[in-house]
Amino acid sequence: MLPLQIHLTLPPWIGDAVDADRRYAGDEERVGLAIALSRHNLEHAGGGPFGAALFDANSGRLIAVGVNRVIPLSCSVAHAEIMAMMIAQQRLGRYRLNEDGRHYVLATSSQPCCQCYGATVWAGIDELLIGARTDDVQELTKFDEGPLPADWIGELERRRIAVRRDILRDQARTVLAAYGASGAVY
Amino acid sequence: MLPLQIHLTLPPWIGDAVDADRRYAGDEERVGLAIALSRHNLEHAGGGPFGAALFDANSGRLIAVGVNRVIPLSCSVAHAEIMAMMIAQQRLGRYRLNEDGRHYVLATSSQPCCQCYGATVWAGIDELLIGARTDDVQELTKFDEGPLPADWIGELERRRIAVRRDILRDQARTVLAAYGASGAVY
């Protein structure tokens, strides 16, 4: 019998760690939530120190969050950004979020890896907000982030996805450094 | 309340369409199954005309299959290759398939898009077998396949993932052409 389904979950502590009713205004509040999630995931030994959050750009409403779930779910796809995008799409009932004419923002604690970079192209987001750079990830942890197109920002901008980075970069680096110092291998 | 989970399924017709006990020997039998899945997905109006299958390289045992499920699941991530990789990993209980020292093969009806390309880097596969090229997809359907690194094959090979393409390419093109002619928008 071939298996025909997969069930992906976020950890139960998310409910206590995130204020789902708050409005998140501005880039720093949005990336700040993604970094807080990355720190919680490290503290709970839940997997890689990465967090993401997806917002309605205008209202600041939080649509979905994600943390890295690769090890607990035995799933190399289950990066923070992928979890947030999939859950947001299923919540709103469409595979391209901004087909309703509104604008959506994906905030992530570190620059997306090659997989999550590609996924942002299809998800219907309008803005990608980034905390730490790939150089920070590779300096402070042992993670490879994979190959990207040389002009990865331009490729997104030509598809109408704005990119802003170095948002609370030092804060994001602090979590990566704590992970590196912990000797964790997840 | 934030949603904390996602459930992804393959269509029920997979059980009838695939011989799960057969051993698939050689590149053509393996890509042939991926193309057959792409055709079934088109005939069942299940989504994009794309199929994938994941094998143990030496025994030819079929570990998992996938078809494009973007529209039925409201999930832009649910491409054929992603479904096959996630289900295979969960079946074998590890996020990097080849950590057991065996070799694994991902066969796909068309060259992976930017998202699935990135995902192959992390999945623990040793060989990527491709039917139609991205040029075929973009000629015969309206799908954009997204930006890749200029030397996308070399980037995989440097990570010990062998790439072979143009396997049953005409057969794969035939399904893409049927999709294009159908006027389908999924």
Side-chain angles (χ1 to χ4, degrees), chain A residues 1-11 14 18 20 62-65 70-71 73-77 79 82 86-87 89-91 93-95 113-115 117-119 121-123 144-149 155 159, chain B residues 1-11 14 18 20 62-65 70-71 73-77 79 82 86-87 89-91 93-95 113-115 117-119 121-123 144-149 155 159:
Chain A
M1 279 286 288
L2 280 176
L4 298 183
Q5 58 179 319
I6 187 162
H7 185 210
L8 302 175
T9 56
L10 290 177
I14 295 268
V18 177
L62 179 63
I63 312 293
V65 300
V70 168
I71 289 184
L73 300 179
S74 298
C75 181
S76 66
V77 178
H79 290 196
I82 297 276
M86 288 198 302
I87 292 172
Q89 291 169 345
Q90 214 165 62
R91 180 176 188 178
R94 53 184 180 270
Y95 64 91
C113 78
C114 56
Q115 162 191 278
Y117 172 76
V121 174
W122 310 135
D144 177 16
E145 293 290 272
L148 293 181
E155 293 285 3
R159 290 166 173 86
Chain B
M1 278 288 288
L2 280 175
L4 298 182
Q5 58 179 320
I6 186 162
H7 185 211
L8 302 175
T9 56
L10 290 176
I14 295 269
V18 177
L62 179 62
I63 312 292
V65 300
V70 169
I71 289 184
L73 299 179
S74 299
C75 181
S76 65
V77 178
H79 290 197
I82 296 276
M86 288 198 302
I87 291 172
Q89 291 170 345
Q90 214 165 59
R91 180 176 188 179
R94 55 183 179 268
Y95 64 90
C113 78
C114 56
Q115 163 191 277
Y117 171 77
V121 175
W122 311 135
D144 177 15
E145 293 290 272
L148 293 181
E155 293 284 3
R159 290 166 173 85

Side-chain angles (χ1 to χ4, degrees), chain A residues 1-2, chain B residues 15-37 39-40 53-65 91 168 171:
Chain A
M1 279 286 288
L2 280 176
Chain B
D16 293 328
V18 177
D19 182 351
D21 299 319
R22 179 175 150 192
R23 290 296 182 267
Y24 294 79
D27 292 359
E28 295 205 347
E29 286 193 18
R30 293 169 186 179
V31 175
L33 176 58
I35 296 170
L37 286 164
R39 186 187 310 109
H40 284 297
L54 212 147
F55 304 91
D56 177 304
N58 298 110
S59 69
R61 182 168 78 104
L62 179 62
I63 312 292
V65 300
R91 180 176 188 179
L168 302 179
Q171 215 179 95

